[in-house]
Amino acid sequence: METSRRKPRSDALRNRELLIAAAKDVLGKGGPEASLEAVARQAGVGIGTLYRNFPDREALFLAVFLRELEDLVTTADGLDQTDDPLGALRGWLHANVAIVETKRGMLGALSLVMSDDLKRPFAPLAAQINAAVARLLAAAVARGQIRDDVTADDVLQTMYALCYARAPGPEWRTQVLRLLDIFVDGLRR
């Protein structure tokens, strides 16, 4: 007998969104040891609601990371249509640093759960991000803003290397953004 799945209720969807937003904040600051009770409290729901949506800590971490990647794709889409593709690339890289900042706080737990099976959901988003950066680079090359030998992989690898090369601390974001700006300026013809 086949059972049809009901669409989630609007309050259930709202609770899930509240939990993801709260988890982004709480887990990003507290890392893998952050309290799930604090996530539920900040979302304004009970711990049972958290566990109904996310059966374990890893599922919650992955949902936050997936959402952040989706946000990066959304931000990148259409940026190549701007009059200033190099400025758009710089802005997108700055937005990406915010995600890496959150991921740094969650890195310990993510490393435990990022098996090949769990990486699969991220592959399409990673490909979309790479394609969006490639479009931005192509637009900047076409406008004569940057050199033509830079690839999307070059940009992404440099960004992540700069993010992970800096020691965590209160000035981390400022320092990484400064280094990224130097890098982007170095792409000019």
Side-chain angles (χ1 to χ4, degrees):
M1 175 186 251
E2 201 175 299
T3 60
S4 63
R5 293 191 63 138
R6 286 189 303 158
K7 237 176 114 177
R9 294 182 352 212
S10 63
D11 62 330
L13 292 173
R14 185 187 73 247
N15 286 343
R16 181 176 174 80
E17 292 304 312
L18 289 170
L19 285 163
I20 290 172
K24 178 181 173 184
D25 183 47
V26 172
L27 299 175
K29 290 176 183 171
E33 302 307 316
S35 161
L36 294 184
E37 288 80 8
V39 172
R41 193 171 36 256
Q42 184 166 325
V45 300
I47 193 71
T49 299
L50 184 145
Y51 282 113
R52 269 193 303 283
N53 283 276
F54 306 102
D56 55 35
R57 180 180 298 270
E58 291 79 16
L60 182 59
F61 277 54
L62 289 173
V64 170
F65 189 53
L66 184 60
R67 174 60 50 80
E68 298 223 329
L69 288 178
E70 290 168 347
D71 290 347
L72 275 180
V73 169
T74 301
T75 301
D77 283 342
L79 286 178
D80 54 327
Q81 303 302 315
T82 181
D83 288 336
D84 181 15
L86 188 60
L89 176 66
R90 184 186 312 269
W92 184 83
L93 289 169
H94 282 219
N96 205 325
V97 167
I99 289 176
V100 173
E101 186 175 35
T102 299
K103 187 180 170 209
R104 279 180 80 96
M106 300 185 333
L107 195 57
L110 281 173
S111 67
L112 298 174
V113 299
M114 290 303 288
S115 70
D116 287 338
D117 286 341
L118 292 173
K119 286 180 186 174
R120 229 173 268 132
F122 303 120
L125 290 170
Q128 290 175 350
I129 288 169
N130 196 292
V133 171
R135 287 191 307 272
L136 279 173
L137 292 172
V141 167
R143 290 185 178 268
Q145 290 182 314
I146 64 168
R147 46 196 281 180
D148 63 3
D149 63 341
V150 180
T151 67
D153 281 338
D154 294 337
V155 171
L156 293 170
Q157 287 178 15
T158 300
M159 183 199 60
Y160 290 120
L162 291 174
C163 287
Y164 287 104
R166 301 303 305 177
E171 296 298 313
W172 177 85
R173 187 178 191 156
T174 302
Q175 292 169 348
V176 171
L177 291 177
R178 180 180 172 278
L179 292 173
L180 270 175
D181 286 341
I182 292 169
F183 168 71
V184 171
D185 289 343
L187 297 177
R188 294 183 186 275
R189 298 189 113 206

